[in-house]
Every structure is written in structure tokens, then in C-alpha cells.
Amino acid sequence: MVPFVWRNPAEIDDEVRAFATSLVPGGTPIFIRVKPPAFARLYDCYRNATRTAQLVGGSMLLGWDISEDTDQLLFQAVFHAVWQSLQGEIIDVTPSEAGFTQTLFVPDRKIEFPDGDVPNRFQARIDDPILQRAIRVLAWEDSMWDTKHVRHTSTVHFTRSEKRQRERMLGKINPGLEELRRRQQQAP
């Protein structure tokens, strides 16, 4: 993967709200609990939410899981399904590989269930050509996910040629990312 570590934003600030509304016009981001039932599997949010609704009532709710990288350079949005109880409580019923206890979620009540993979969306927090390149690499990696990942894991199997392509792309952006990170750390 591209050298980014993703986490929940610490708060819902104006930048988070702006990114959320770019995903869902008029959408409101909310922090929700992650509380997977025993049967829930990693990376299987649609099935987890549907099965929970079948077992205890409520419904599946589609939307976007928003995260930011630990250097606060980029936002990432992953199309996601959660469970909404009969009382209206929204809970993420898919386990987090990183052990997160909450998800920053933007419900999208107008979107239809997708026929295939919905590409992740990315947005740079600052206008910089290196971040635009990084977004292209992230989008390329995301496009490989559907056909090359090992089910219920974050493992992606690349061919030798794809590995070389990935290394070339990373080699072009890593020095610039390191410089950006250094500048971010020095900023007041």
C-alpha cells in the first residue's frame, strides 16, 4: 500500500464537513460505535449489516466511512454499510482490522445498493502535486482490490509486473511525501 496510515479524524471540523458534503450533498458526518456481532467478518460490511437486520430487526444503511492519514495530509472515504436499529441508533457491525472503536460515517439515504465495487474517494487537505500523485496511486491500488484481494483480509496479491509498477509509482512520490511530512511537523 501507499505509505499512509489511516485513522478516524479527531473531530468533525470544517474540513471534515466539507469533504462529507462533497460525498453526500447536505450529508452530516457522525461518529458511530463499532460493535460487531460474533458472526461478523472483516471487509464484509454489506453482509454483516444485512444479517444483523435479519436477526434483530432494523435495516442496513449505506454511506461513507471517512478517515484521514496520521499526518493529516489526505482524507479517504470508503463506501460502507452499517446497521440502523429499530430505535434509530446507527452502529458499525463490521470489525475493524485496526481495532477502531468508532467510525466517522456519513449516511447516504439516496444511494442505491451498488452492483459492483464503489471506488474509494480521496481528497488532499493541502494543494500539492505530490498529494495529487499519491491520490492517483491510491486510486490505482483501490482498483486492484476487487479482483486481487484475499477475502476477509487486507492482503492484495499483485503480479510481478504490478509489483514493479507499484514500486515505480511509490518511488516517484515517497521523497516528496517525506518532505511534506517534515514541513507539516515543523509548522506551528
Side-chain angles (χ1 to χ4, degrees):
M1 289 297 216
V2 171
F4 290 102
V5 176
W6 302 101
R7 67 174 185 201
N8 287 315
E11 63 180 343
I12 301 173
D13 60 16
D14 290 341
E15 285 182 286
V16 169
R17 281 187 202 89
F19 183 51
T21 58
S22 76
L23 301 165
V24 181
T28 302
I30 53 173
F31 283 108
I32 61 173
R33 285 186 303 146
V34 175
K35 189 177 176 189
F39 63 80
R41 298 173 84 175
L42 285 170
Y43 304 105
D44 207 0
C45 63
Y46 307 123
R47 187 172 292 141
N48 296 336
T50 300
R51 185 153 183 229
T52 302
Q54 289 169 343
L55 292 172
V56 297
S59 60
M60 176 176 66
L61 178 61
L62 299 174
W64 297 89
D65 175 349
I66 294 179
S67 55
E68 68 181 356
D69 73 290
T70 54
D71 296 309
Q72 297 181 320
L73 297 172
L74 294 173
F75 286 119
Q76 172 182 240
V78 177
F79 194 69
H80 195 49
V82 299
W83 171 69
Q84 186 167 17
S85 74
L86 292 170
Q87 295 75 31
E89 184 179 14
I90 300 171
I91 297 175
D92 191 345
V93 292
T94 299
S96 163
E97 189 171 46
F100 296 140
T101 58
Q102 65 178 3
T103 298
L104 181 57
F105 186 71
V106 183
D108 188 344
R109 296 179 192 280
K110 293 180 182 174
I111 198 157
E112 296 290 322
F113 190 82
D115 287 332
D117 187 40
V118 177
N120 292 354
R121 301 213 187 137
F122 303 94
Q123 181 175 301
R125 280 184 172 256
I126 57 175
D127 186 24
D128 189 282
I130 287 293
L131 292 178
Q132 296 311 313
R133 279 184 173 159
I135 287 171
R136 286 193 295 276
V137 174
L138 287 163
W140 176 81
E141 285 189 337
D142 180 55
S143 72
M144 299 296 208
W145 177 259
D146 237 13
T147 57
K148 303 218 176 254
H149 86 280
V150 177
R151 192 162 173 75
H152 308 298
T153 73
S154 61
T155 304
V156 178
H157 290 292
F158 292 105
T159 64
R160 234 181 255 165
S161 171
E162 291 163 345
K163 286 179 185 175
R164 284 193 300 270
Q165 180 180 357
R166 181 178 178 273
E167 292 307 314
R168 279 193 304 274
M169 290 188 294
L170 289 175
K172 291 178 182 178
I173 65 169
N174 276 337
L177 282 175
E178 290 307 314
E179 174 61 23
L180 265 177
R181 288 178 173 133
R182 189 183 60 70
R183 282 187 293 180
Q184 286 287 100
Q185 290 171 351
Q186 292 175 348

Short mmCIF file of all heavy atoms in Angstrom, two decimals, residues 55-98:
data_model
loop_
_atom_site.label_atom_id
_atom_site.label_comp_id
_atom_site.label_asym_id
_atom_site.label_seq_id
_atom_site.Cartn_x
_atom_site.Cartn_y
_atom_site.Cartn_z
N LEU A 55 -31.59 -10.66 11.78
CA LEU A 55 -31.64 -11.35 13.07
C LEU A 55 -32.34 -10.55 14.16
O LEU A 55 -33.04 -11.12 15.00
CB LEU A 55 -30.22 -11.71 13.54
CG LEU A 55 -29.51 -12.79 12.72
CD1 LEU A 55 -28.07 -12.92 13.15
CD2 LEU A 55 -30.25 -14.11 12.83
N VAL A 56 -32.13 -9.22 14.18
CA VAL A 56 -32.66 -8.42 15.30
C VAL A 56 -33.55 -7.26 14.87
O VAL A 56 -34.02 -6.50 15.71
CB VAL A 56 -31.52 -7.89 16.20
CG1 VAL A 56 -30.77 -9.02 16.85
CG2 VAL A 56 -30.58 -6.98 15.43
N GLY A 57 -33.80 -7.14 13.58
CA GLY A 57 -34.62 -6.03 13.10
C GLY A 57 -33.77 -4.84 12.71
O GLY A 57 -32.55 -4.86 12.80
N GLY A 58 -34.41 -3.82 12.27
CA GLY A 58 -33.68 -2.65 11.79
C GLY A 58 -33.37 -2.80 10.31
O GLY A 58 -34.01 -3.59 9.60
N SER A 59 -32.37 -2.07 9.85
CA SER A 59 -32.06 -2.10 8.42
C SER A 59 -30.59 -1.77 8.17
O SER A 59 -29.90 -1.24 9.03
CB SER A 59 -32.94 -1.08 7.68
OG SER A 59 -32.70 0.22 8.19
N MET A 60 -30.16 -2.10 6.96
CA MET A 60 -28.84 -1.71 6.51
C MET A 60 -28.91 -0.25 6.07
O MET A 60 -29.88 0.17 5.46
CB MET A 60 -28.40 -2.58 5.34
CG MET A 60 -27.06 -2.17 4.76
SD MET A 60 -26.45 -3.26 3.44
CE MET A 60 -27.67 -3.00 2.17
N LEU A 61 -27.88 0.51 6.40
CA LEU A 61 -27.78 1.91 5.99
C LEU A 61 -26.47 2.09 5.25
O LEU A 61 -25.40 1.75 5.76
CB LEU A 61 -27.84 2.83 7.23
CG LEU A 61 -27.70 4.32 6.99
CD1 LEU A 61 -28.83 4.85 6.10
CD2 LEU A 61 -27.71 5.06 8.34
N LEU A 62 -26.55 2.61 4.02
CA LEU A 62 -25.36 2.83 3.20
C LEU A 62 -24.82 4.24 3.41
O LEU A 62 -25.56 5.16 3.76
CB LEU A 62 -25.69 2.62 1.73
CG LEU A 62 -26.19 1.24 1.34
CD1 LEU A 62 -26.63 1.22 -0.12
CD2 LEU A 62 -25.13 0.19 1.60
N GLY A 63 -23.55 4.40 3.16
CA GLY A 63 -22.90 5.70 3.28
C GLY A 63 -21.41 5.58 3.12
O GLY A 63 -20.91 4.67 2.44
N TRP A 64 -20.69 6.47 3.77
CA TRP A 64 -19.24 6.56 3.60
C TRP A 64 -18.54 6.58 4.96
O TRP A 64 -18.94 7.30 5.87
CB TRP A 64 -18.87 7.83 2.84
CG TRP A 64 -19.41 7.83 1.44
CD1 TRP A 64 -20.62 8.30 1.04
CD2 TRP A 64 -18.77 7.31 0.29
NE1 TRP A 64 -20.77 8.12 -0.31
CE2 TRP A 64 -19.64 7.51 -0.81
CE3 TRP A 64 -17.53 6.71 0.06
CZ2 TRP A 64 -19.33 7.13 -2.10
CZ3 TRP A 64 -17.21 6.32 -1.24
CH2 TRP A 64 -18.11 6.54 -2.30
N ASP A 65 -17.49 5.78 5.07
CA ASP A 65 -16.61 5.74 6.24
C ASP A 65 -15.45 6.69 5.92
O ASP A 65 -14.70 6.47 4.97
CB ASP A 65 -16.12 4.30 6.44
CG ASP A 65 -15.10 4.13 7.54
OD1 ASP A 65 -14.56 5.13 8.07
OD2 ASP A 65 -14.80 2.97 7.87
N ILE A 66 -15.32 7.76 6.69
CA ILE A 66 -14.29 8.78 6.44
C ILE A 66 -13.12 8.57 7.39
O ILE A 66 -13.30 8.41 8.60
CB ILE A 66 -14.84 10.20 6.61
CG1 ILE A 66 -15.88 10.50 5.54
CG2 ILE A 66 -13.71 11.23 6.56
CD1 ILE A 66 -16.50 11.87 5.65
N SER A 67 -11.92 8.61 6.83
CA SER A 67 -10.71 8.57 7.65
C SER A 67 -9.72 9.60 7.11
O SER A 67 -9.92 10.17 6.04
CB SER A 67 -10.10 7.17 7.66
OG SER A 67 -9.85 6.72 6.35
N GLU A 68 -8.67 9.83 7.89
CA GLU A 68 -7.59 10.71 7.45
C GLU A 68 -6.28 9.99 7.73
O GLU A 68 -6.23 9.08 8.56
CB GLU A 68 -7.63 12.05 8.19
CG GLU A 68 -7.30 11.94 9.67
CD GLU A 68 -7.36 13.26 10.42
OE1 GLU A 68 -7.59 14.31 9.80
OE2 GLU A 68 -7.17 13.23 11.65
N ASP A 69 -5.23 10.38 7.02
CA ASP A 69 -3.95 9.77 7.31
C ASP A 69 -3.36 10.42 8.57
O ASP A 69 -3.77 11.51 8.96
CB ASP A 69 -2.99 9.90 6.12
CG ASP A 69 -2.46 11.30 5.95
OD1 ASP A 69 -3.26 12.18 5.58
OD2 ASP A 69 -1.26 11.52 6.21
N THR A 70 -2.46 9.70 9.22
CA THR A 70 -1.94 10.16 10.51
C THR A 70 -1.16 11.47 10.40
O THR A 70 -1.00 12.16 11.40
CB THR A 70 -1.05 9.09 11.18
OG1 THR A 70 -0.04 8.69 10.25
CG2 THR A 70 -1.88 7.89 11.58
N ASP A 71 -0.70 11.82 9.20
CA ASP A 71 -0.01 13.11 9.01
C ASP A 71 -0.97 14.22 8.65
O ASP A 71 -0.56 15.35 8.42
CB ASP A 71 1.05 12.98 7.91
CG ASP A 71 2.15 12.02 8.30
OD1 ASP A 71 2.70 12.18 9.41
OD2 ASP A 71 2.44 11.10 7.51
N GLN A 72 -2.25 13.90 8.54
CA GLN A 72 -3.31 14.85 8.21
C GLN A 72 -3.07 15.55 6.87
O GLN A 72 -3.28 16.74 6.73
CB GLN A 72 -3.50 15.86 9.34
CG GLN A 72 -3.94 15.21 10.63
CD GLN A 72 -4.16 16.22 11.74
OE1 GLN A 72 -3.40 17.16 11.89
NE2 GLN A 72 -5.21 16.00 12.50
N LEU A 73 -2.65 14.74 5.89
CA LEU A 73 -2.45 15.26 4.54
C LEU A 73 -3.63 14.94 3.62
O LEU A 73 -3.93 15.70 2.71
CB LEU A 73 -1.17 14.67 3.92
CG LEU A 73 0.15 15.00 4.62
CD1 LEU A 73 1.29 14.20 4.02
CD2 LEU A 73 0.43 16.49 4.54
N LEU A 74 -4.29 13.79 3.88
CA LEU A 74 -5.35 13.30 2.99
C LEU A 74 -6.55 12.82 3.77
O LEU A 74 -6.42 12.33 4.89
CB LEU A 74 -4.86 12.10 2.17
CG LEU A 74 -3.77 12.31 1.15
CD1 LEU A 74 -3.33 10.96 0.60
CD2 LEU A 74 -4.24 13.20 0.02
N PHE A 75 -7.71 12.92 3.12
CA PHE A 75 -8.92 12.23 3.57
C PHE A 75 -9.15 11.04 2.65
O PHE A 75 -8.83 11.09 1.46
CB PHE A 75 -10.17 13.13 3.45
CG PHE A 75 -10.25 14.21 4.47
CD1 PHE A 75 -10.27 15.54 4.08
CD2 PHE A 75 -10.33 13.93 5.83
CE1 PHE A 75 -10.37 16.56 5.01
CE2 PHE A 75 -10.44 14.94 6.77
CZ PHE A 75 -10.46 16.25 6.36
N GLN A 76 -9.77 10.00 3.20
CA GLN A 76 -10.19 8.85 2.43
C GLN A 76 -11.65 8.54 2.80
O GLN A 76 -12.01 8.60 3.97
CB GLN A 76 -9.33 7.63 2.76
CG GLN A 76 -9.82 6.35 2.14
CD GLN A 76 -8.97 5.15 2.53
OE1 GLN A 76 -8.43 4.52 1.64
NE2 GLN A 76 -8.85 4.84 3.81
N ALA A 77 -12.45 8.22 1.80
CA ALA A 77 -13.82 7.79 2.05
C ALA A 77 -14.00 6.41 1.42
O ALA A 77 -13.68 6.22 0.24
CB ALA A 77 -14.81 8.78 1.46
N VAL A 78 -14.50 5.48 2.22
CA VAL A 78 -14.76 4.12 1.77
C VAL A 78 -16.26 3.90 1.82
O VAL A 78 -16.88 4.13 2.87
CB VAL A 78 -14.03 3.09 2.67
CG1 VAL A 78 -14.35 1.66 2.24
CG2 VAL A 78 -12.52 3.34 2.66
N PHE A 79 -16.84 3.47 0.70
CA PHE A 79 -18.27 3.17 0.69
C PHE A 79 -18.51 2.07 1.70
O PHE A 79 -17.77 1.08 1.75
CB PHE A 79 -18.72 2.76 -0.71
CG PHE A 79 -20.20 2.75 -0.87
CD1 PHE A 79 -20.92 3.93 -0.86
CD2 PHE A 79 -20.89 1.57 -1.02
CE1 PHE A 79 -22.30 3.94 -1.00
CE2 PHE A 79 -22.27 1.55 -1.17
CZ PHE A 79 -22.97 2.75 -1.15
N HIS A 80 -19.55 2.21 2.53
CA HIS A 80 -19.70 1.33 3.69
C HIS A 80 -21.17 1.10 4.00
O HIS A 80 -22.03 1.91 3.67
CB HIS A 80 -19.01 2.02 4.88
CG HIS A 80 -18.74 1.13 6.05
ND1 HIS A 80 -18.14 -0.10 5.96
CD2 HIS A 80 -18.98 1.32 7.38
CE1 HIS A 80 -18.03 -0.63 7.17
NE2 HIS A 80 -18.54 0.21 8.04
N ALA A 81 -21.42 -0.03 4.64
CA ALA A 81 -22.78 -0.35 5.11
C ALA A 81 -22.72 -0.56 6.61
O ALA A 81 -21.81 -1.22 7.13
CB ALA A 81 -23.30 -1.61 4.42
N VAL A 82 -23.68 0.01 7.32
CA VAL A 82 -23.80 -0.14 8.77
C VAL A 82 -25.23 -0.59 9.07
O VAL A 82 -26.06 -0.70 8.18
CB VAL A 82 -23.45 1.18 9.51
CG1 VAL A 82 -22.01 1.60 9.23
CG2 VAL A 82 -24.41 2.29 9.12
N TRP A 83 -25.50 -0.83 10.33
CA TRP A 83 -26.82 -1.27 10.75
C TRP A 83 -27.51 -0.14 11.50
O TRP A 83 -26.89 0.54 12.33
CB TRP A 83 -26.70 -2.50 11.63
CG TRP A 83 -27.96 -2.93 12.30
CD1 TRP A 83 -29.07 -3.46 11.70
CD2 TRP A 83 -28.25 -2.88 13.69
NE1 TRP A 83 -30.03 -3.74 12.65
CE2 TRP A 83 -29.55 -3.39 13.88
CE3 TRP A 83 -27.53 -2.44 14.80
CZ2 TRP A 83 -30.14 -3.47 15.14
CZ3 TRP A 83 -28.13 -2.53 16.05
CH2 TRP A 83 -29.42 -3.05 16.20
N GLN A 84 -28.80 0.06 11.21
CA GLN A 84 -29.60 1.02 11.94
C GLN A 84 -30.70 0.25 12.67
O GLN A 84 -31.48 -0.49 12.06
CB GLN A 84 -30.22 2.07 11.02
CG GLN A 84 -30.95 3.15 11.80
CD GLN A 84 -31.29 4.35 10.95
OE1 GLN A 84 -31.28 4.29 9.73
NE2 GLN A 84 -31.60 5.45 11.60
N SER A 85 -30.72 0.42 14.00
CA SER A 85 -31.70 -0.31 14.82
C SER A 85 -33.10 0.24 14.59
O SER A 85 -33.28 1.32 14.01
CB SER A 85 -31.33 -0.19 16.30
OG SER A 85 -31.64 1.12 16.77
N LEU A 86 -34.08 -0.48 15.10
CA LEU A 86 -35.47 -0.03 15.01
C LEU A 86 -35.68 1.28 15.76
O LEU A 86 -36.58 2.05 15.44
CB LEU A 86 -36.41 -1.11 15.57
CG LEU A 86 -36.49 -2.39 14.74
CD1 LEU A 86 -37.24 -3.49 15.51
CD2 LEU A 86 -37.13 -2.14 13.39
N GLN A 87 -34.83 1.55 16.76
CA GLN A 87 -34.91 2.80 17.52
C GLN A 87 -34.14 3.94 16.85
O GLN A 87 -34.12 5.05 17.36
CB GLN A 87 -34.36 2.59 18.95
CG GLN A 87 -35.17 1.63 19.79
CD GLN A 87 -34.96 0.17 19.40
OE1 GLN A 87 -33.90 -0.23 18.96
NE2 GLN A 87 -36.02 -0.63 19.55
N GLY A 88 -33.45 3.65 15.74
CA GLY A 88 -32.74 4.69 15.00
C GLY A 88 -31.25 4.79 15.30
O GLY A 88 -30.55 5.59 14.69
N GLU A 89 -30.75 3.98 16.25
CA GLU A 89 -29.32 4.02 16.56
C GLU A 89 -28.54 3.42 15.39
O GLU A 89 -28.94 2.40 14.82
CB GLU A 89 -29.03 3.24 17.84
CG GLU A 89 -27.57 3.33 18.25
CD GLU A 89 -27.27 2.58 19.54
OE1 GLU A 89 -28.09 1.77 19.99
OE2 GLU A 89 -26.18 2.82 20.08
N ILE A 90 -27.44 4.06 15.03
CA ILE A 90 -26.60 3.60 13.92
C ILE A 90 -25.32 3.00 14.50
O ILE A 90 -24.63 3.66 15.29
CB ILE A 90 -26.28 4.76 12.95
CG1 ILE A 90 -27.57 5.34 12.38
CG2 ILE A 90 -25.35 4.29 11.85
CD1 ILE A 90 -27.37 6.63 11.58
N ILE A 91 -25.04 1.75 14.12
CA ILE A 91 -23.87 1.03 14.66
C ILE A 91 -23.13 0.38 13.51
O ILE A 91 -23.73 -0.22 12.60
CB ILE A 91 -24.31 -0.04 15.68
CG1 ILE A 91 -24.98 0.63 16.88
CG2 ILE A 91 -23.12 -0.88 16.13
CD1 ILE A 91 -25.55 -0.33 17.90
N ASP A 92 -21.80 0.46 13.55
CA ASP A 92 -20.96 -0.23 12.59
C ASP A 92 -20.79 -1.67 13.08
O ASP A 92 -20.18 -1.90 14.12
CB ASP A 92 -19.60 0.46 12.47
CG ASP A 92 -18.78 -0.05 11.30
OD1 ASP A 92 -19.10 -1.12 10.75
OD2 ASP A 92 -17.79 0.62 10.94
N VAL A 93 -21.35 -2.63 12.35
CA VAL A 93 -21.32 -4.03 12.77
C VAL A 93 -20.22 -4.82 12.07
O VAL A 93 -20.20 -6.05 12.13
CB VAL A 93 -22.70 -4.71 12.56
CG1 VAL A 93 -23.73 -4.13 13.52
CG2 VAL A 93 -23.16 -4.59 11.11
N THR A 94 -19.28 -4.13 11.45
CA THR A 94 -18.15 -4.79 10.80
C THR A 94 -16.90 -4.57 11.64
O THR A 94 -16.58 -3.43 12.00
CB THR A 94 -17.95 -4.25 9.37
OG1 THR A 94 -19.14 -4.52 8.63
CG2 THR A 94 -16.76 -4.89 8.69
N PRO A 95 -16.18 -5.65 11.96
CA PRO A 95 -14.97 -5.49 12.77
C PRO A 95 -13.94 -4.60 12.07
O PRO A 95 -13.86 -4.58 10.84
CB PRO A 95 -14.42 -6.91 12.91
CG PRO A 95 -15.40 -7.82 12.29
CD PRO A 95 -16.41 -7.02 11.55
N SER A 96 -13.18 -3.90 12.86
CA SER A 96 -12.10 -3.06 12.35
C SER A 96 -10.79 -3.80 12.52
O SER A 96 -10.43 -4.19 13.63
CB SER A 96 -12.05 -1.74 13.14
OG SER A 96 -10.82 -1.09 12.94
N GLU A 97 -10.09 -3.99 11.41
CA GLU A 97 -8.80 -4.68 11.47
C GLU A 97 -7.81 -3.92 12.37
O GLU A 97 -6.99 -4.52 13.05
CB GLU A 97 -8.22 -4.85 10.07
CG GLU A 97 -7.01 -5.74 10.02
CD GLU A 97 -6.59 -6.06 8.60
OE1 GLU A 97 -6.54 -5.15 7.77
OE2 GLU A 97 -6.32 -7.24 8.34
N ALA A 98 -7.94 -2.61 12.39
CA ALA A 98 -7.05 -1.77 13.21
C ALA A 98 -7.54 -1.65 14.66
O ALA A 98 -6.89 -1.00 15.47
CB ALA A 98 -6.92 -0.39 12.59
#
